[in-house]
Amino acid sequence: MIKVAIAGARGRMGTTAIQAIEEAKDAQVVAALDYKYDGKYLHNSIIIDEEMGIPIYTSLSKLAEECAPDVLLDVTDPDAVFQNVKEALLLGIHPVVGTSGLTEDEVKDIEGLVNELKVGGLIAPNFSIGAVLMMKFAQQAARYLGDVEIIEMHHDRKLDAPSGTAVKTADMIKQVRPSHIQGHPEEQEHLNGARGADVEGMKIHSVRLPGLLAHQQVLLGGEGELLTLRHDSFDRKSFMPGIMMAIRDVVGRTDLIYGLEKLL
Amino acid sequence: MIKVAIAGARGRMGTTAIQAIEEAKDAQVVAALDYKYDGKYLHNSIIIDEEMGIPIYTSLSKLAEECAPDVLLDVTDPDAVFQNVKEALLLGIHPVVGTSGLTEDEVKDIEGLVNELKVGGLIAPNFSIGAVLMMKFAQQAARYLGDVEIIEMHHDRKLDAPSGTAVKTADMIKQVRPSHIQGHPEEQEHLNGARGADVEGMKIHSVRLPGLLAHQQVLLGGEGELLTLRHDSFDRKSFMPGIMMAIRDVVGRTDLIYGLEKLL
Amino acid sequence: MIKVAIAGARGRMGTTAIQAIEEAKDAQVVAALDYKYDGKYLHNSIIIDEEMGIPIYTSLSKLAEECAPDVLLDVTDPDAVFQNVKEALLLGIHPVVGTSGLTEDEVKDIEGLVNELKVGGLIAPNFSIGAVLMMKFAQQAARYLGDVEIIEMHHDRKLDAPSGTAVKTADMIKQVRPSHIQGHPEEQEHLNGARGADVEGMKIHSVRLPGLLAHQQVLLGGEGELLTLRHDSFDRKSFMPGIMMAIRDVVGRTDLIYGLEKLL
Amino acid sequence: MIKVAIAGARGRMGTTAIQAIEEAKDAQVVAALDYKYDGKYLHNSIIIDEEMGIPIYTSLSKLAEECAPDVLLDVTDPDAVFQNVKEALLLGIHPVVGTSGLTEDEVKDIEGLVNELKVGGLIAPNFSIGAVLMMKFAQQAARYLGDVEIIEMHHDRKLDAPSGTAVKTADMIKQVRPSHIQGHPEEQEHLNGARGADVEGMKIHSVRLPGLLAHQQVLLGGEGELLTLRHDSFDRKSFMPGIMMAIRDVVGRTDLIYGLEKLL
């Protein structure tokens, strides 16, 4: 039985994670790390005083001492993550991190600590296996079908365009295909922005409409053919298998894994 | 039997039109109007001297005198169209025009002449019934689902973006829905152009990839739902039914029709 | 202000309807008709004893006397609907019915009563404006592009295949296009069922997968082109505009309307 | 410079292959193997008597003696392939085979001969890199998203359903996922065939419409998400890169490769 402590347990991602772990037979949530509510309990997403549900700690060392978790699953904001992860490693707890907010330097620091202490860790900016497969396949396919456009589509309450996943996809493709101009060399854009955002020749288009949830398609064109890789995310439940895959994998590791795609 | 003269018979559109008319049982091509090759013949897309195939004229009045066409189908460049159409009307020939290149003033002039002479005519910027239905439906649906984005996708030899059909679609929708900002009011475009071209709040995205032919989708979003209207044009043969519909319709008319959608 | 009584208020559809009406400025929910809980109140989807929220009645005549509704919105099971509607009409209340479960005979009976009493009513098997537009457009387009296949896609907890909407779409298309064999006349199905269900030549394909919600596409093919009409239903909120459109329309009616498409 | 002989040069696939090889800078067509026209020449897809274009042979041994090809590209019907390939191997010529018509026993025989003679060969049922990637990705993804449905769409002149590519895709997926019932266990098909053809629980749906070319999508569903892999084949030119990849690869081989996916 893998014992898991969760940082960020009260958030939407944390709620999903608790559900995923509780539905698994080989793992259990033993504690929650929080910046407040020390000594209280999280029971069915509510903070209570009675000793029922998941005990809350504000100190990871005290949590470790009393609950002995194998894994710290951190789904908090980027601010707290870096400290949490370092502390976990020093306490011999395997960190599983679910944000894309860590800087390159922070990731390097963590990697150094992991290698020194031989306590494996995993950082996954995206826990959706379907989304990760789409990105991985896009990268593989771009070696052969090198002209690529990305269309990402989200609800109209989203603030930023393009989406993080679209940018990540383009970054992954950049690693395998040489930068080149796509489209007709003398192409004329009669209305500004029609041809989308440019990333080394690749185009990204961001659609925002009420009704939409979170969708992305990667179009790869070759002479006479088109390959389309599409992912639709309808519900946060889609993160569950990825979360469990990460938790089960990390307890046997002594190195740092960046990206769920490394496990696929 | 409807007798048709064709201007632009040697072009790709003309070749398709000749085929469409020859496959129909109620129409026939009686002559070609051209700026050269007077007295020669067009036979299986080749210019020949023998009296075989379609006789070519450089003068419409001489063509009318000798071949007495009911209809002049004009699929030439915009330059020649306006003169051809006026001359046809004066000769009592119904013009069917297949370009979008006429100016508003020219269309008004033609309309005046049509009404004066009671010789009906038809101007159809797009002969594809599927494309025309897509535009018409988009306009109807936008009354109820007012947030609209258009994604048009073409081969990468296309020079202009967005496509004429995409702009026409947006224009048709503008007539029925009030202009408004779409997306989050505080939306931020981290990469220029990601959110596409803007037409009164509507967004147009132009995809260009090798392999693609001519495709367009109109996405209309409402709370909790999405309606997508998509047209794929795989072959110029798709223009045939529209060309025949126009020819059959125009011979019974005394007014001017603009747009094939009026006949649907 | 339009006063609305709701039958089926405790169900999922009823909850959505209450929310839609409460968000509108020109309508309000005045009472709930139920087969139990007489005298109690429905408050935030919970049954309570205190006089707070929506009063519940088991008798429509008593409800009418005390609350004087203009409209009875019935989103119950098919069993109760027929009696509810007849009683409403006799009490001068406009019925709006949201099920497809009424038989043809029952609909005729209701129509007779509506015409006799001059109290207008509306029966809408589907309140999603997007879905209704898709069906209406499919019917219109099938006049020109007569070869049609329907792909409907739902979550894998759905019991029946094909979906009611797919069958309704095929029925609507049947009215405008002559029955004919689609595909190659000598077509061979090497695996049973590959070519889908047949409705007068049209094919229906039912996809069931975890993750999916409720989606349908209608594909209409012509020489060299394809028109695709697709509707994605992501959330029951998509019914709200249709419900309000029906309620606002019915109060000014003296006839019976069948299908929301009549109002579009 | 790789010297290539082609069997099946007069067919549509052969014509495409000749074009692909002639556009490449590192390969050339040195001869055509045919069952007739010995001593004549193939020049721009026409059989001529003058010594111009590609010389035609009816005997592979004579062809080998006079033209010394490195590769025999065989795009003939399945009947002739087996003999051609064996003869090529004995002559030290690398065979590249583009049909799916060889039996398992024949493939094993060829493999035996390849290993004995150390003359590498390649059998590729599909030369489209995009289609091969789609199948390969579908197989990889099915390990994680095990509920799969395939929708293949072709023009309505196609005789057989489902398509060979759809069956091949299902076969590849079968190798990695356990057979299981998809959909609701008590699912009811109210119209025969609605749920498609069944391959160990996977469903295959075949759409046939005028206008369509050759398209396939593989839908993989998981809790809360959907991954769609789609390939559109618009033109036989899409086979060119795969043909050249095979020719370049096989000259350095001493083993037998089955499937272009092995090279990707």
Side-chain angles (χ1 to χ4, degrees):
Chain A
M1 184 69 78
I2 307 172
K3 294 194 214 164
V4 183
I6 300 186
R10 288 182 291 120
R12 292 194 302 176
M13 195 64 178
T15 305
T16 302
I18 290 172
Q19 200 185 330
I21 296 165
E22 285 181 351
E23 286 181 7
K25 286 178 184 149
D26 56 346
Q28 67 182 122
V29 181
V30 296
L33 179 68
D34 210 314
Y35 70 95
K36 56 181 180 179
Y37 298 124
D38 193 50
K40 297 197 183 293
Y41 289 81
L42 184 66
H43 183 62
N44 293 337
S45 306
I46 297 169
I47 303 296
I48 57 173
D49 290 319
E50 302 102 285
E51 199 171 318
M52 203 163 68
I54 304 164
I56 302 176
Y57 295 82
T58 52
S59 150
L60 183 54
S61 61
K62 191 174 164 208
L63 185 159
E65 201 178 310
E66 298 191 1
C67 303
D70 303 298
V71 173
L72 173 70
L73 174 64
D74 192 318
V75 289
T76 56
D77 289 327
D79 309 343
V81 170
F82 186 53
Q83 282 309 318
N84 287 346
V85 168
K86 287 199 296 185
E87 212 178 329
L89 289 171
L90 291 168
L91 291 162
I93 305 169
H94 298 279
V96 170
V97 176
T99 74
S100 54
L102 291 166
T103 66
E104 272 186 54
D105 280 349
E106 288 173 333
V107 172
K108 269 186 198 159
D109 276 11
I110 291 172
E111 191 163 26
L113 204 54
V114 161
N115 291 337
E116 188 190 321
L117 300 169
K118 306 286 179 214
V119 179
L122 190 148
I123 301 171
N126 198 328
F127 276 125
S128 156
I129 290 179
V132 168
L133 286 173
M134 173 188 61
M135 287 187 270
K136 189 179 167 177
F137 293 159
Q139 189 186 43
Q140 287 178 24
R143 292 174 195 271
Y144 307 102
L145 300 165
D147 283 15
V148 182
E149 304 216 3
I150 299 170
I151 304 172
E152 55 93 348
M153 315 198 296
H154 286 83
H155 52 81
D156 61 354
R157 298 174 307 284
K158 188 170 175 65
L159 266 172
D160 54 318
S163 70
T165 300
V167 172
K168 177 81 193 297
T169 307
D171 282 346
M172 285 174 64
I173 294 173
K174 269 163 49 181
Q175 296 166 16
V176 302
R177 70 153 223 175
S179 171
H180 66 273
I181 292 170
Q182 294 188 177
H184 196 292
E186 290 166 38
E187 185 175 87
Q188 290 188 325
E189 213 181 40
H190 294 298
L191 289 174
N192 258 353
R195 288 289 284 117
D198 188 284
V199 177
E200 296 199 359
M202 278 176 279
K203 302 297 183 182
I204 304 182
H205 310 271
S206 300
V207 175
R208 298 287 176 268
L209 285 172
L212 286 173
L213 301 169
H215 320 263
Q216 179 172 306
Q217 21 188 337
V218 185
L219 287 79
L220 301 114
E223 198 58 51
E225 67 180 333
L226 182 72
L227 181 68
T228 305
L229 310 172
R230 174 174 178 145
H231 183 252
D232 294 279
S233 181
F234 297 119
D235 194 299
R236 231 168 319 115
K237 280 183 202 159
S238 61
F239 299 133
M240 289 191 178
I243 288 173
M244 290 315 302
M245 183 182 287
I247 288 172
R248 286 177 186 128
D249 177 84
V250 80
V251 290
R253 281 211 172 269
T254 54
D255 57 348
L256 182 71
I257 291 291
Y258 190 92
L260 203 62
E261 63 270 22
K262 302 283 164 52
L263 306 187
L264 299 179
Chain B
M1 184 68 78
I2 307 171
K3 294 193 215 164
V4 184
I6 300 186
R10 288 182 291 118
R12 292 193 304 176
M13 193 66 175
T15 305
T16 302
I18 290 171
Q19 199 186 333
I21 296 165
E22 286 181 350
E23 286 181 8
K25 288 177 183 150
D26 56 345
Q28 66 182 123
V29 180
V30 295
L33 180 67
D34 210 313
Y35 71 96
K36 57 182 180 180
Y37 298 123
D38 193 51
K40 296 197 184 295
Y41 289 80
L42 184 66
H43 183 63
N44 292 338
S45 306
I46 298 168
I47 304 296
I48 58 173
D49 291 317
E50 302 102 285
E51 199 170 318
M52 202 163 69
I54 305 165
I56 302 176
Y57 295 83
T58 53
S59 150
L60 184 54
S61 60
K62 192 175 162 208
L63 183 160
E65 202 176 309
E66 298 190 1
C67 304
D70 304 297
V71 172
L72 174 69
L73 174 64
D74 192 318
V75 290
T76 55
D77 288 328
D79 309 342
V81 170
F82 186 53
Q83 283 309 318
N84 287 347
V85 168
K86 285 200 296 185
E87 213 178 329
L89 289 170
L90 291 167
L91 292 162
I93 305 168
H94 298 279
V96 170
V97 176
T99 73
S100 53
L102 290 167
T103 66
E104 272 186 55
D105 281 349
E106 289 174 333
V107 173
K108 269 186 198 159
D109 275 11
I110 291 172
E111 191 163 27
L113 205 54
V114 161
N115 292 336
E116 189 190 319
L117 300 168
K118 308 285 180 215
V119 178
L122 190 147
I123 301 170
N126 197 327
F127 277 126
S128 156
I129 291 180
V132 168
L133 286 173
M134 173 189 60
M135 287 187 269
K136 191 180 167 176
F137 293 159
Q139 190 186 43
Q140 287 177 27
R143 291 174 195 272
Y144 308 102
L145 300 165
D147 282 14
V148 182
E149 304 216 3
I150 299 170
I151 304 172
E152 55 93 346
M153 314 197 297
H154 286 83
H155 53 82
D156 61 354
R157 297 174 307 284
K158 188 170 176 65
L159 265 172
D160 53 318
S163 70
T165 300
V167 172
K168 178 82 193 298
T169 306
D171 283 345
M172 286 174 66
I173 293 172
K174 267 164 49 180
Q175 296 166 17
V176 302
R177 70 152 223 176
S179 171
H180 66 274
I181 292 170
Q182 294 187 178
H184 196 292
E186 291 166 39
E187 185 175 271
Q188 291 188 325
E189 213 181 41
H190 294 299
L191 289 174
N192 258 354
R195 287 288 285 118
D198 188 284
V199 177
E200 296 199 359
M202 278 176 280
K203 302 297 184 183
I204 305 181
H205 310 272
S206 300
V207 174
R208 298 289 176 267
L209 285 172
L212 287 172
L213 302 168
H215 321 262
Q216 180 174 306
Q217 21 189 339
V218 185
L219 287 79
L220 301 113
E223 197 59 49
E225 66 180 334
L226 182 73
L227 181 67
T228 305
L229 309 171
R230 175 173 178 145
H231 183 251
D232 294 280
S233 182
F234 297 119
D235 194 299
R236 232 169 316 116
K237 280 183 201 159
S238 61
F239 299 132
M240 290 191 178
I243 288 172
M244 290 316 301
M245 183 183 287
I247 288 172
R248 286 176 186 129
D249 177 83
V250 81
V251 290
R253 283 211 171 268
T254 55
D255 58 347
L256 182 71
I257 291 292
Y258 190 91
L260 203 62
E261 61 272 22
K262 302 284 163 53
L263 307 186
L264 298 180
Chain C
M1 184 69 77
I2 307 172
K3 294 193 216 164
V4 183
I6 300 186
R10 288 182 291 119
R12 292 193 304 176
M13 195 65 177
T15 305
T16 303
I18 290 171
Q19 199 185 332
I21 297 166
E22 285 181 352
E23 286 182 7
K25 287 178 183 149
D26 56 346
Q28 66 182 124
V29 180
V30 295
L33 179 68
D34 211 313
Y35 71 96
K36 56 182 180 179
Y37 298 123
D38 193 50
K40 297 198 183 294
Y41 289 80
L42 184 67
H43 183 63
N44 291 338
S45 306
I46 297 168
I47 305 296
I48 58 172
D49 291 318
E50 301 101 285
E51 199 170 317
M52 203 163 68
I54 304 165
I56 302 177
Y57 295 82
T58 52
S59 150
L60 184 55
S61 61
K62 191 174 162 208
L63 183 160
E65 202 178 308
E66 298 190 2
C67 304
D70 304 298
V71 173
L72 175 69
L73 173 65
D74 192 317
V75 289
T76 55
D77 288 329
D79 310 343
V81 170
F82 186 52
Q83 283 309 317
N84 287 347
V85 168
K86 285 200 296 186
E87 212 178 328
L89 289 171
L90 291 167
L91 290 162
I93 305 168
H94 297 280
V96 170
V97 176
T99 73
S100 54
L102 291 167
T103 66
E104 271 185 54
D105 281 348
E106 288 174 333
V107 172
K108 269 186 199 160
D109 275 10
I110 292 171
E111 192 162 25
L113 204 55
V114 161
N115 291 337
E116 188 190 320
L117 299 170
K118 307 284 180 217
V119 178
L122 191 147
I123 301 171
N126 197 327
F127 277 127
S128 156
I129 291 180
V132 168
L133 286 172
M134 173 188 61
M135 287 187 270
K136 190 180 168 177
F137 293 159
Q139 190 187 43
Q140 287 178 26
R143 292 174 195 272
Y144 308 102
L145 300 165
D147 283 13
V148 183
E149 304 216 3
I150 299 170
I151 304 171
E152 54 94 347
M153 314 198 297
H154 285 84
H155 53 83
D156 61 354
R157 297 174 306 283
K158 188 170 176 65
L159 265 172
D160 53 319
S163 70
T165 300
V167 172
K168 176 82 193 298
T169 306
D171 282 346
M172 285 175 65
I173 293 173
K174 268 163 49 181
Q175 297 166 17
V176 302
R177 71 152 223 175
S179 170
H180 66 274
I181 292 171
Q182 294 188 179
H184 196 291
E186 291 166 37
E187 185 176 87
Q188 291 188 325
E189 212 181 41
H190 293 300
L191 289 174
N192 259 353
R195 287 288 285 117
D198 187 284
V199 177
E200 296 199 359
M202 278 176 280
K203 303 295 184 183
I204 305 182
H205 309 272
S206 299
V207 175
R208 299 288 175 268
L209 284 173
L212 287 173
L213 302 168
H215 321 262
Q216 180 174 306
Q217 22 189 337
V218 185
L219 287 80
L220 301 113
E223 198 58 51
E225 67 180 333
L226 182 73
L227 181 67
T228 305
L229 310 171
R230 175 174 178 144
H231 183 251
D232 294 279
S233 182
F234 298 119
D235 193 300
R236 233 169 316 116
K237 280 184 202 160
S238 62
F239 299 132
M240 290 193 179
I243 288 173
M244 289 315 302
M245 183 183 287
I247 289 172
R248 287 176 185 130
D249 178 83
V250 81
V251 291
R253 283 213 171 266
T254 56
D255 58 346
L256 182 71
I257 291 290
Y258 190 91
L260 202 63
E261 61 271 23
K262 302 284 163 53
L263 307 187
L264 298 181
Chain D
M1 184 69 77
I2 306 172
K3 294 193 215 165
V4 183
I6 300 187
R10 289 182 291 119
R12 293 193 303 176
M13 194 65 178
T15 305
T16 302
I18 291 172
Q19 199 185 332
I21 296 165
E22 285 181 351
E23 286 181 7
K25 287 176 183 148
D26 56 346
Q28 67 182 121
V29 180
V30 295
L33 179 67
D34 210 313
Y35 71 95
K36 56 182 179 179
Y37 298 124
D38 193 51
K40 297 198 184 292
Y41 289 81
L42 184 67
H43 183 63
N44 292 337
S45 305
I46 298 168
I47 303 296
I48 57 173
D49 290 318
E50 302 101 285
E51 200 170 320
M52 202 163 69
I54 303 165
I56 300 177
Y57 294 83
T58 52
S59 149
L60 184 54
S61 61
K62 191 175 163 208
L63 185 159
E65 201 176 311
E66 298 190 2
C67 304
D70 303 299
V71 173
L72 173 69
L73 173 64
D74 193 317
V75 289
T76 56
D77 289 327
D79 309 342
V81 170
F82 186 54
Q83 282 309 318
N84 287 346
V85 168
K86 285 199 296 186
E87 214 178 329
L89 289 170
L90 291 167
L91 291 162
I93 304 169
H94 297 280
V96 170
V97 176
T99 73
S100 53
L102 290 167
T103 66
E104 271 186 57
D105 280 350
E106 289 173 333
V107 173
K108 269 186 200 161
D109 275 11
I110 292 171
E111 192 163 25
L113 206 53
V114 161
N115 292 336
E116 188 190 321
L117 300 169
K118 307 284 179 216
V119 178
L122 189 148
I123 301 171
N126 198 328
F127 277 126
S128 157
I129 291 179
V132 168
L133 286 173
M134 174 189 60
M135 288 187 269
K136 190 180 168 178
F137 293 160
Q139 189 186 43
Q140 288 178 25
R143 291 174 195 272
Y144 308 102
L145 301 165
D147 283 13
V148 182
E149 304 216 3
I150 298 170
I151 304 172
E152 54 93 347
M153 315 198 296
H154 286 83
H155 53 81
D156 61 354
R157 297 174 308 285
K158 189 170 176 65
L159 266 172
D160 53 317
S163 71
T165 300
V167 172
K168 178 81 193 296
T169 307
D171 283 345
M172 284 174 65
I173 294 173
K174 268 164 48 181
Q175 296 166 17
V176 302
R177 69 153 223 174
S179 171
H180 67 274
I181 292 170
Q182 294 189 177
H184 196 291
E186 290 166 39
E187 186 175 87
Q188 291 188 324
E189 213 182 40
H190 293 299
L191 289 174
N192 258 353
R195 288 289 284 119
D198 188 284
V199 177
E200 296 199 359
M202 279 177 278
K203 303 295 183 182
I204 305 181
H205 310 272
S206 299
V207 175
R208 298 287 176 269
L209 285 172
L212 286 173
L213 301 168
H215 320 263
Q216 179 173 307
Q217 21 188 338
V218 185
L219 287 79
L220 302 113
E223 198 59 50
E225 67 179 333
L226 182 72
L227 181 68
T228 305
L229 310 172
R230 175 174 178 145
H231 183 251
D232 294 279
S233 182
F234 298 119
D235 194 299
R236 230 169 319 115
K237 278 183 202 159
S238 61
F239 299 132
M240 290 192 178
I243 289 173
M244 289 316 302
M245 183 183 287
I247 289 173
R248 285 175 186 130
D249 177 84
V250 81
V251 291
R253 283 211 172 268
T254 54
D255 57 348
L256 181 71
I257 291 290
Y258 190 91
L260 203 62
E261 62 271 23
K262 301 284 164 52
L263 306 187
L264 299 179

